[in-house]
């Protein structure tokens, strides 16, 4: 009995000592927290409680910070919420997230939220973690705070979390935080917003949500200008944000979304710099909008020589579009401009007036009625993060100058040969050679050598004659190569005629015994071998590109397709729907397969006029073409269809497109579709049950609306 009593006394003593240490820890935590000078900005001084006001057995914390539930008092005179708060403070001080999170959950379950200072500190610790698990828990924590105590969330805190989510490549949650901030009218500062989007656009999903957020921000900024928020700063023409999103659109092939961003820039007055124009060039090339890109040329021609490398992509895209439209004259003019660009600017010197921003029409050519994009082609951000020009294969930048690649030269040769205009090709080569650069002289020699290698000896001979008549003859090696080719192909008559011509003009030495007519077919093996080597050295890789381009050469149907697509785009922009449909029917009659641009041009026109029924009819054509052409299964096309079916109230089509996007593994930004639904059909069928439907059609529509509401999270 005595032994049992002694054991009980010992256990009680140990138990009392343990809880005394807990109370000491809690007291120290309280002293550190509430004797500090920091007071959260949204707390008044009347809510600050110092440690000196503490009385054993009393209530330590103001109930403004917790729930209305009374705290439980332990038998030794300390309330349990004090112990939990002390434990939470200690865990946060030691950066022990596991213990801090579990303690926070316990306190939240028993008493509600802790004081705002501890909530801030916990969210900050979670935000600084590189573990996606903690970042997602921080998002869940923000969600619960928004439901119960929105005023506890500060803009700085949400900005930290948003940046961490973006860095960790969790763009969907990052976009949710940004959208919550947008709802409150408090976005991050512009530089911080740029950093967030910079990290988000590294993935396909991040590009999707970033472009949608940009549209939401600038679409709502006009309504937020009266508020004292960072949204008012968005009208200061922040080009970086648009460059980041536009660049991502080109990297992930979302050209239609990119075109939408370009139009948004024109609507809100954001200025396009040199990088913007280069990215726009890629987007117009992807969409086949040659005439839209040509509008920039006269302004780019005025930039200084140091900026010429920044517009390499512009010349690349424009030249590519000239080839796609089979416009050899426009391509030839552009090539001459490329080689004459540096010469003309060098002659101008520095006597130029300070450059000024200018306007470029978007869509309609009428600057008074159409959209106007404000561009400043002389402007270039020094801290740029872009690498525009990933697709450059036609125009190269060498030794501080723009030059044609062998692939571009091969395209020129093929198109001139196909149209039987070798004389015009010679004129182009002569014009380039007159620029006086080493690259231009080498180009003429390479063209002649490549023609000889391809067996086009007459063409090579004509080019040599044309250059000679213009006073720009090539060196002897090109003529020797042609003589060798004539000999190897047993064309002795042509060889002797060329030899007489050369001797007469003095291009070669008349006393050279190696080139005597009598010995043309009696050359020794070693001499013939040397002549072949001489010819092969000049041709380079140009002949290889000619062969490759001939294999991949587009047919007339392809050229016509680009023309018809542009016609549809032009007619729809001018609201000439019947003419646009006529061009589309012509495409079908010619058995030319429509492209994504074809359908997007038609959809944009119908959508701008609110012709949603016509879109449902066009949807049938799109589905039929998708069965045989998988390249039509693009997210841009599906998203635009989905938005228009939503606006028109065709919920059967809405659910059909959603199902197809899921089948193709495409990300769906539910936030956008929920917003569109609430904008056009907020109260649709809220008070009508399925049993109240008048017919089967209405029954199905009610069910589709309910399925959609459930999918976007409204029900």
């Amino acid at each position: 009995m005595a032994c049992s009593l002694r054991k009980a006394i010992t256990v009680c003593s140990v138990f009392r000592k343990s809880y005394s240490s807990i109370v000491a820890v809690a007291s120290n935590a309280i002293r550190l927290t509430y004797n500090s000078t920091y007071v959260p900005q949204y707390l008044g001084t009347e809510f600050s409680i110092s440690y000196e006001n503490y009385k054993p057995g009393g209530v330590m914390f103001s109930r403004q910070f917790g729930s209305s539930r009374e705290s439980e008092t332990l038998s030794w005179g300390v309330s349990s919420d004090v112990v939990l708060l002390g434990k939470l403070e200690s865990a946060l001080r030691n950066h022990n997230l596991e213990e801090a999170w579990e303690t926070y959950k316990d306190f939240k379950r028993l008493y509600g939220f802790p004081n705002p200072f501890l909530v801030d500190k916990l969210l900050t610790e979670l935000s600084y973690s590189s573990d996606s698990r903690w970042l997602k828990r921080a998002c869940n924590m923000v969600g619960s705070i928004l439901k119960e105590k929105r005023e506890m969330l500060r803009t700085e805190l949400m900005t930290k979390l948003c940046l961490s989510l973006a860095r960790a490549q969790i763009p969907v949650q990052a976009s949710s935080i940004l959208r919550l901030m947008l709802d409150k009218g408090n976005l991050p500062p512009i530089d911080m917003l740029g950093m967030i989007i910079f990290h988000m656009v590294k993935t396909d999903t991040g590009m999707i949500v970033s472009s949608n957020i940009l549209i939401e921000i600038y679409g709502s900024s006009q309504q937020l200008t009266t508020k004292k928020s960072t949204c008012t700063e968005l009208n200061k023409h922040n080009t970086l944000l648009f460059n980041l999103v536009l660049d991502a659109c080109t990297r992930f092939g979302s050209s239609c979304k990119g075109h939408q961003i370009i139009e948004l820039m024109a609507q809100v007055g954001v200025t396009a710099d040199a990088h913007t124009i280069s990215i726009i060039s890629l987007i117009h090339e992807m969409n086949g909008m040659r005439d839209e890109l040509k509008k920039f040329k006269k302004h780019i021609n005025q930039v200084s020589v140091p900026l010429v490398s920044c517009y390499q992509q512009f010349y690349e895209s424009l030249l590519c579009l000239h080839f796609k439209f089979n416009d050899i004259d426009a391509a030839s003019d552009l090539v001459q401009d490329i080689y004459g660009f540096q010469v003309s600017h060098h002659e101008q010197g520095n006597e130029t007036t300070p450059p000024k921003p200018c306007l470029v029409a978007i869509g309609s050519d009428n600057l008074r009625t159409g959209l106007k994009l404000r561009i400043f082609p002389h402007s270039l951000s020094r801290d740029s993060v872009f690498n525009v020009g990933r697709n450059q294969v036609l125009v190269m930048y060498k030794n501080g100058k723009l030059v044609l690649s062998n692939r571009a030269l091969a395209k020129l040769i093929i198109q001139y040969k196909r149209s039987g205009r070798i004389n015009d090709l010679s004129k182009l080569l002569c014009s380039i050679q007159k620029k006086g650069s080493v690259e231009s002289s080498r180009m003429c020699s390479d063209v002649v050598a490549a023609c000889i290698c391809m067996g086009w000896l007459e063409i090579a001979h004509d080019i040599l004659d044309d250059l000679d008549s213009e006073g720009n003859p090539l060196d002897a090696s090109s003529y020797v190569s042609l003589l060798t080719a004539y000999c190897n192909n047993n064309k002795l008559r042509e060889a002797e005629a060329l030899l007489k011509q050369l001797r007469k003009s003095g291009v070669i030495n008349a006393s050279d015994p190696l080139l005597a007519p009598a010995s043309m077919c009696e050359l020794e093996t070693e001499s013939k071998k040397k002549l072949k080597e001489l010819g092969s050295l000049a041709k380079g890789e140009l002949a290889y590109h000619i062969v490759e381009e001939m294999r991949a050469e587009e047919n007339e149907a392809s050229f016509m397709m680009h023309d018809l697509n542009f016609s549809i785009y032009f007619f729809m922009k001018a609201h000439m729907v019947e003419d646009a449909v006529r061009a589309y029917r012509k495409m079908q009659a010619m058995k030319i397969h429509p492209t994504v641009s074809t359908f997007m041009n038609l959809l944009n026109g119908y959508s701008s006029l609110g012709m949603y029924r016509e879109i449902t009819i066009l949807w049938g054509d799109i589905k039929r073409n998708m069965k045989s052409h998988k390249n039509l299964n693009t997210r841009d096309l599906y998203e635009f269809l989905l938005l228009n079916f939503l606006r028109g109230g065709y919920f059967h089509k809405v659910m059909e497109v959603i199902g197809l996007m899921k089948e193709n593994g495409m990300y769906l930004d539910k936030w956008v579709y929920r917003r569109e639904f609430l904008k056009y059909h907020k109260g649709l069928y809220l008070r009508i049950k399925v049993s109240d439907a008048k017919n089967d059609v209405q029954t199905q529509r009610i069910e589709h609306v309910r399925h959609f509401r459930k999918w976007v999270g409204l029900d």
Side-chain angles (χ1 to χ4, degrees):
M1 184 68 180
C3 181
S4 300
L5 183 60
R6 281 195 303 271
K7 286 183 179 181
I9 294 172
T10 303
V11 170
C12 290
S13 176
V14 172
F15 189 77
R16 186 167 55 253
K17 288 179 180 179
S18 299
Y19 274 102
S20 298
S21 63
I22 293 174
V23 172
V25 170
S27 301
N28 290 332
I30 295 165
R31 186 184 300 110
L32 287 171
T33 302
Y34 291 99
N35 284 345
S36 64
T37 57
Y38 174 81
V39 178
Q41 63 179 10
Y42 39 75
L43 291 182
T45 54
E46 66 272 18
F47 296 130
S48 301
I49 300 176
S50 63
Y51 176 72
E52 284 73 14
N53 294 331
Y54 169 74
K55 299 266 195 271
V59 179
M60 171 62 65
F61 291 90
S62 172
R63 284 292 174 259
Q64 280 86 350
F65 304 133
S67 66
S68 58
R69 179 173 176 174
E70 294 295 329
S71 60
E72 299 176 3
T73 304
L74 302 179
S75 58
W76 52 89
V78 180
S79 58
S80 59
D81 57 347
V82 173
V83 177
L84 288 174
L85 287 172
K87 185 178 179 182
L88 177 59
E89 175 69 17
S90 177
L92 290 173
R93 191 187 310 115
N94 297 321
H95 308 289
N96 188 341
L97 283 180
E98 287 284 357
E99 184 176 355
W101 180 253
E102 293 300 324
T103 307
Y104 166 77
K105 288 198 303 181
D106 290 342
F107 189 94
K108 174 72 169 55
R109 185 176 62 253
L110 293 172
Y111 308 111
F113 290 107
N115 67 78
F117 173 64
L118 289 180
V119 171
D120 277 14
K121 196 168 183 181
L122 177 57
L123 271 176
T124 301
E125 289 289 331
L126 293 172
S127 300
Y128 284 152
S129 173
S130 58
D131 191 340
S132 60
R133 179 173 57 111
W134 292 119
L135 292 174
K136 291 178 180 178
R137 286 182 177 177
C139 288
N140 295 334
M141 185 175 172
V142 168
S144 63
I145 294 173
L146 284 171
K147 291 180 180 178
E148 302 177 41
K149 284 185 173 290
R150 293 179 66 95
E151 66 278 3
M152 294 179 68
L153 289 175
R154 295 183 296 113
T155 301
E156 296 83 355
L157 196 61
M158 298 180 74
T159 301
K160 291 178 186 177
L161 176 57
C162 190
L163 181 59
S164 297
L165 289 166
R167 282 175 174 168
Q169 295 303 298
I170 313 177
V172 177
Q173 284 83 350
S175 67
S176 298
I177 300 296
L178 271 180
R179 281 162 165 160
L180 290 172
M181 297 172 72
L182 179 61
D183 285 344
K184 295 177 66 176
N186 294 310
L187 281 174
I190 294 298
D191 55 346
M192 187 61 67
L193 183 61
M195 285 297 298
I196 293 170
I197 292 182
F198 169 74
H199 290 289
M200 288 176 64
V201 296
K202 293 179 180 179
T203 63
D204 189 7
T205 302
M207 178 274 295
I208 295 167
V209 295
S210 296
S211 58
N212 289 337
I213 285 175
L214 197 65
I215 294 170
E216 293 165 20
I217 289 175
Y218 277 82
S220 61
S221 61
Q222 302 300 322
Q223 289 76 27
L224 295 170
T225 51
T226 56
K227 297 182 180 181
K228 292 182 179 180
S229 67
T230 54
C231 288
T232 59
E233 299 179 16
L234 293 173
N235 292 323
K236 294 183 179 179
H237 312 326
N238 195 298
T239 308
L240 175 63
L241 295 179
F242 283 87
N243 284 353
L244 287 168
V245 176
L246 283 173
D247 183 66
C249 289
T250 61
R251 282 188 287 112
F252 295 105
S254 186
S255 58
C256 299
K257 177 68 74 173
H259 186 72
Q260 186 180 1
I261 299 297
I262 295 171
E263 292 187 338
L264 179 64
M265 291 182 68
Q267 290 169 2
V268 300
V270 176
T271 303
D273 62 6
H275 281 302
T276 317
I277 296 172
S278 294
I279 303 170
I280 289 174
S281 303
L282 271 171
I283 293 173
H284 283 336
E285 178 190 342
M286 296 164 72
N287 291 327
M289 295 181 178
R290 183 175 65 145
D291 282 21
E292 291 293 307
L293 189 55
K294 285 164 62 177
K295 297 174 184 177
F296 292 86
K297 188 175 182 301
K298 66 178 181 180
H299 304 294
I300 293 174
N301 287 343
Q302 301 172 6
V303 302
S304 58
V305 174
L307 282 175
V308 66
S309 61
C310 300
Y311 290 103
Q312 180 183 356
Q313 183 60 56
F314 171 81
Y315 289 105
E316 165 86 20
S317 297
L318 186 54
L319 184 59
C320 179
L321 287 173
H322 287 328
F323 285 135
K324 284 184 177 181
F325 280 80
N326 197 26
D327 193 344
I328 188 63
D329 292 323
S332 176
D333 292 341
L334 183 61
V335 169
Q336 293 191 61
D337 289 343
I338 290 173
Y339 280 91
F341 184 85
Q342 293 90 340
V343 177
S344 62
H345 281 69
H346 179 72
E347 294 173 351
Q348 291 176 3
N350 296 323
E351 297 179 2
T352 57
T353 57
K356 297 180 180 180
C358 43
L359 298 176
V360 172
I362 301 295
S364 172
D365 290 334
N366 193 333
L367 282 173
R368 292 184 178 180
T369 59
L371 288 174
K372 299 173 285 292
L373 178 63
R374 189 170 183 266
I375 68 169
F376 195 15
H378 304 269
S379 174
L380 181 65
S381 177
R382 293 182 178 180
D383 54 349
S384 173
V385 294
F386 305 104
N387 183 27
V388 181
R390 296 173 293 274
N391 305 322
Q392 290 162 355
V393 295
L394 302 179
V395 181
M396 313 302 292
Y397 186 71
K398 294 181 179 179
N399 302 322
K401 296 180 180 179
L402 295 178
V403 295
L404 284 191
S405 69
N406 281 322
R407 181 174 294 182
L409 200 52
K411 286 179 176 289
L412 278 172
I413 295 170
I414 291 171
Q415 292 204 11
Y416 272 121
K417 179 180 180 295
R418 185 177 59 237
S419 58
R421 298 170 56 187
I422 299 304
N423 185 46
D424 291 331
L425 174 60
S426 301
K427 289 180 180 179
L428 173 63
L429 294 173
C430 186
S431 174
I432 294 174
Q433 193 176 24
K434 287 180 179 178
K435 307 301 180 185
S437 65
V438 177
E439 291 83 3
S440 60
S441 297
R442 188 182 301 122
M443 177 193 295
C444 298
S445 300
D446 288 350
V447 170
V448 172
C451 290
I452 294 172
C453 181
M454 295 295 297
W456 304 336
L457 304 185
E458 292 80 5
I459 294 177
H461 201 155
D462 290 342
I463 294 173
L464 286 171
D465 288 346
D466 291 336
L467 292 174
D468 188 37
S469 64
E470 292 288 336
N472 293 289
L474 297 181
D475 56 25
S477 62
S478 297
Y479 296 94
V480 170
S481 299
L482 183 56
L483 280 171
T484 306
Y486 276 144
C487 182
N488 291 337
N489 288 275
N490 295 321
K491 294 185 177 183
L492 301 183
R493 185 178 301 173
E494 291 84 351
E496 292 177 0
L498 177 60
L499 188 58
K500 289 179 181 179
Q501 178 185 344
L502 296 179
R503 284 174 173 170
K504 184 177 180 180
S505 61
V507 175
I508 63 173
N509 187 358
S511 62
D512 191 343
L514 185 62
L515 300 175
S519 62
M520 286 299 296
C521 291
E522 299 174 1
L523 292 173
E524 294 182 359
T525 307
E526 189 64 27
S527 299
K528 188 181 289 188
K529 182 179 179 181
K530 289 181 179 180
L531 287 172
K532 288 182 179 180
E533 290 176 355
L534 182 62
S536 64
L537 289 174
K539 69 184 180 184
E541 60 179 28
L542 180 56
Y544 166 78
H545 284 291
I546 290 176
V547 174
E548 290 297 310
E549 290 299 324
M550 289 179 68
R551 289 174 179 171
E553 189 179 3
E554 296 184 84
N555 53 31
E556 289 297 326
S558 178
F559 299 138
M560 183 60 70
M561 179 264 293
H562 292 296
D563 281 327
L564 290 172
N565 275 347
F566 176 73
S567 297
I568 294 171
Y569 169 76
F570 173 80
F571 288 136
M572 280 300 192
K573 277 293 181 182
H575 293 169
M576 301 167 65
V577 178
E578 293 182 359
D579 294 293
V581 173
R582 194 176 296 114
Y584 174 58
R585 297 305 176 201
K586 182 179 179 180
M587 182 181 289
Q588 291 178 317
M590 296 177 65
K591 299 189 182 303
I592 298 175
H593 297 294
T595 63
V596 174
S597 295
T598 308
F599 291 121
M600 286 300 298
N601 292 336
L602 289 167
L603 289 171
N604 272 305
Y606 286 141
S607 178
S608 64
L609 297 171
M611 301 172 67
Y612 302 116
R613 183 176 178 276
E614 284 72 12
I615 293 178
T616 63
I617 298 173
L618 184 62
W619 172 228
D621 280 357
I622 296 174
K623 287 191 291 185
R624 282 190 292 272
N625 281 275
M626 281 180 173
K627 293 180 180 178
S628 56
H629 296 85
K630 299 298 182 183
N631 57 348
L632 290 177
N633 288 278
T634 64
R635 192 190 171 280
D636 281 348
L637 189 57
Y638 280 127
E639 182 186 68
F640 201 73
L641 283 164
L642 181 52
L643 288 172
N644 279 280
F645 288 151
L646 258 178
R647 293 163 187 164
Y650 295 96
F651 286 93
H652 171 68
K653 308 290 185 185
V654 167
M655 300 311 298
E656 182 183 5
V657 175
I658 289 173
L660 289 172
M661 292 181 74
K662 288 181 177 179
E663 288 179 12
N664 288 277
M666 299 175 182
Y667 171 74
L668 290 116
D669 193 353
K670 294 183 181 180
W671 190 290
V672 174
Y673 308 126
R674 179 168 58 244
R675 184 191 60 186
E676 288 296 306
F677 178 84
L678 293 175
K679 181 178 179 181
Y680 291 95
H681 312 285
K682 185 175 183 179
L684 186 63
Y685 295 143
L686 280 179
R687 296 180 177 84
I688 298 179
K689 300 178 181 178
V690 177
S691 58
D692 298 330
K694 298 179 181 179
N695 49 49
D696 293 340
V697 174
Q698 191 177 29
T699 300
Q700 293 180 359
R701 191 162 190 262
I702 293 173
E703 291 177 349
H704 289 311
V705 171
R706 288 191 171 181
H707 289 159
F708 178 81
R709 291 180 63 91
K710 184 177 181 181
W711 178 72
V712 295
L714 289 173
D715 292 338

